[in-house]
Amino acid sequence: MRILHTSDWHIGRTFHGHPTLGALEGVLEALTEIVREQSIDVVIVAGDVFDSATPSADAYRLLTRALTRLRETGVVIVATSGNHDSAARLGFQSEFARLAGIHVLTSDETLDVPVTVDDDSGPVHIYGIPYLEPALIRHRYPDETLRTQAEAVAFAMRRVRADVDERGGRSVVVSHCFAQGVADAASDVERDITSGGIDLVPANVFEGVDYAALGHIHGRARLTDSIRYSGAPLHYSFSEAGKPRGGWIVDLDAGGLAGVEWVDLPIPRRLSVVTGTLEELLTDDAYADVEDDWVSAVLTDTVRPIDGMRKLQRRFAHCAAMVHEPAVVADHGERTYAQRVQGKSDSEVVDEFLSYVRNGQGASDAESEIIGEAIAELRAAEASA
């Protein structure tokens, strides 16, 4: 049996304010071609199908088109809910979807009820563990200690292993969580389900099944040969720049896990982070090959340039982010601002303020002239009052 492990589609997510529905649909069309070319039997989506608990109508329509194209290849689809999804909304009419070979597993009450798919070697039982919020489920299991997500996932896996022992056969579990050992693969858009590390799930919790298809981390990651994250199909943050997009093709034979290989998905638009002064970024030929990329610009000018983003977008039409990180930072010493301006004239106070907020650069000659005129007018007005 061949399984394609994907996760974190995040349908409806924006990228720095830009819509991603069109790009994602193109990538999911490419995923359908991979399913057809690689003779995939089962497609897994390990949580965060949507980016919001209240998806838009366009997001629902995209999901419908993507699932329809996949089902037309003959694959079975198994999806679980993640922390971004509304389990109730994603699971609405899941019983009807099941009749069409699309299994949406969003309930903690059916953790030990697998989707069973048969091949020439017998049954493969696929168990779905949706994102489990302990505060929302502990009242249903008063005999269990469910204070953290780690305890909730361990509870789910005990039920899964018990069912596997009873049924026999090969087994796969699908879970959306933050497992220990994947910090380096995480980005800045996926850390919201842990609190001081207490909700990290130990990887050994997933022992006892042939393969654990995990979701939540947007970069691919291998915890063990049989426990992996596939990552998201699109880049959703500049912290993900350079990370491949794709999924794991998991092969099961009669004895269990036979092999895992990575398959790439197309990247609609690359992500690039460029660093330099505004003048360098606008004129240096070294940046010519990223002009059509999504660009995050790190400006190293001593003073933050005026209207920097608009100027950057003249060259980099898809510049989506800009930060100012001066290459040289002024040392103001240990004295407070009040101490530095004590006893100084009004013009000197303004100059000291400009130097403080502009990284050591005080007023220019032209600015000093304007400041002097403004102070003189103010004094004249005060004298005539």
Side-chain angles (χ1 to χ4, degrees):
M1 182 174 295
R2 307 205 88 188
I3 299 172
L4 179 57
H5 167 197
T6 76
S7 74
D8 296 272
W9 288 8
H10 284 282
I11 301 173
R13 192 180 191 94
T14 59
F15 181 79
H16 292 272
H18 300 273
T20 64
L21 286 176
L24 179 59
E25 181 151 25
V27 170
L28 295 179
E29 287 177 353
L31 184 144
T32 302
E33 288 306 307
I34 290 171
V35 167
R36 186 175 288 109
E37 293 168 1
Q38 296 292 332
S39 299
I40 301 298
D41 300 298
V42 178
V43 171
I44 285 173
V45 188
D48 281 353
V49 177
F50 291 116
D51 187 62
S52 167
T54 56
S56 67
D58 286 339
Y60 272 111
R61 283 191 283 266
L62 190 155
L63 178 62
T64 299
R65 292 193 298 271
L67 296 181
T68 299
R69 284 192 291 263
L70 285 170
R71 276 296 295 148
E72 287 173 347
T73 69
V75 296
V76 173
I77 301 167
V78 179
T80 61
S81 52
N83 58 300
H84 280 255
D85 297 307
S86 162
R89 286 187 173 88
L90 184 63
F92 178 65
Q93 292 191 334
S94 59
E95 290 301 310
F96 292 100
R98 179 176 58 83
L99 299 176
I102 301 171
H103 302 267
V104 184
L105 310 178
T106 63
S107 174
D108 61 280
E109 297 176 356
T110 56
L111 294 169
D112 50 6
V113 180
V115 175
T116 299
V117 184
D118 293 292
D119 65 7
D120 293 340
S121 300
V124 174
H125 307 297
I126 304 173
Y127 298 84
I129 303 178
Y131 173 66
L132 297 175
E133 178 57 62
L136 299 180
I137 66 171
R138 66 168 67 105
H139 68 281
R140 287 199 285 271
Y141 310 100
D143 296 332
E144 297 287 342
T145 301
L146 300 175
R147 294 169 299 186
T148 67
Q149 196 194 17
E151 292 171 340
V153 174
F155 159 67
M157 281 302 301
R158 288 195 297 272
R159 289 177 56 178
V160 167
R161 279 190 291 267
D163 192 71
V164 170
D165 290 342
E166 183 175 337
R167 291 178 189 271
R170 296 157 294 170
S171 57
V172 172
V173 68
V174 185
S175 179
H176 193 88
C177 65
F178 202 127
Q180 285 180 328
V182 294
D184 292 340
S187 71
D188 58 5
V189 297
E190 56 206 5
R191 299 181 181 271
D192 56 338
I193 66 172
T194 64
S195 178
I198 63 172
D199 276 351
L200 288 173
V201 177
N204 61 12
V205 163
F206 296 104
E207 293 177 354
V209 294
D210 291 295
Y211 184 77
L214 304 186
H216 182 58
I217 302 303
H218 286 195
R220 70 177 180 186
R222 172 190 171 278
L223 279 68
T224 70
D225 284 344
S226 61
I227 306 173
R228 300 178 187 240
Y229 284 93
S230 64
L234 280 185
H235 290 119
Y236 289 115
S237 166
F238 280 105
S239 64
E240 300 167 11
K243 295 180 180 179
R245 302 290 89 169
W248 295 110
I249 296 179
V250 181
D251 286 306
L252 300 178
D253 61 15
L257 184 64
V260 183
E261 62 177 299
W262 177 257
V263 59
D264 284 310
L265 284 169
I267 296 174
R269 191 181 303 281
R270 292 185 310 175
L271 274 64
S272 294
V273 179
V274 297
T275 303
T277 65
L278 179 61
E279 180 66 19
E280 291 169 346
L281 297 184
L282 294 178
T283 60
D284 196 330
D285 290 339
Y287 302 110
D289 65 337
V290 302
E291 288 180 351
D292 196 45
D293 294 1
W294 286 116
V295 168
S296 174
V298 181
L299 300 184
T300 60
D301 302 75
T302 302
V303 177
R304 184 184 183 93
I306 296 174
D307 209 10
M309 178 62 87
R310 183 178 62 83
K311 293 174 181 176
L312 285 166
Q313 288 176 339
R314 291 175 182 171
R315 181 176 190 185
F316 308 104
H318 304 286
C319 184
M322 184 191 79
V323 295
H324 181 223
E325 296 181 1
V328 179
V329 179
D331 182 6
H332 296 291
E334 297 181 357
R335 292 189 305 161
T336 66
Y337 177 75
Q339 290 171 332
R340 289 198 301 275
V341 301
Q342 187 174 7
K344 293 189 175 182
S345 67
D346 291 341
S347 296
E348 291 172 329
V349 169
V350 175
D351 184 70
E352 186 68 39
F353 173 77
L354 291 174
S355 178
Y356 182 75
V357 299
R358 299 200 306 198
N359 198 30
Q361 182 173 316
S364 65
D365 292 342
E367 289 170 336
S368 295
E369 184 175 344
I370 294 172
I371 291 168
E373 291 174 356
I375 292 174
E377 290 179 5
L378 180 61
R379 287 174 176 168
E382 290 175 344
S384 62

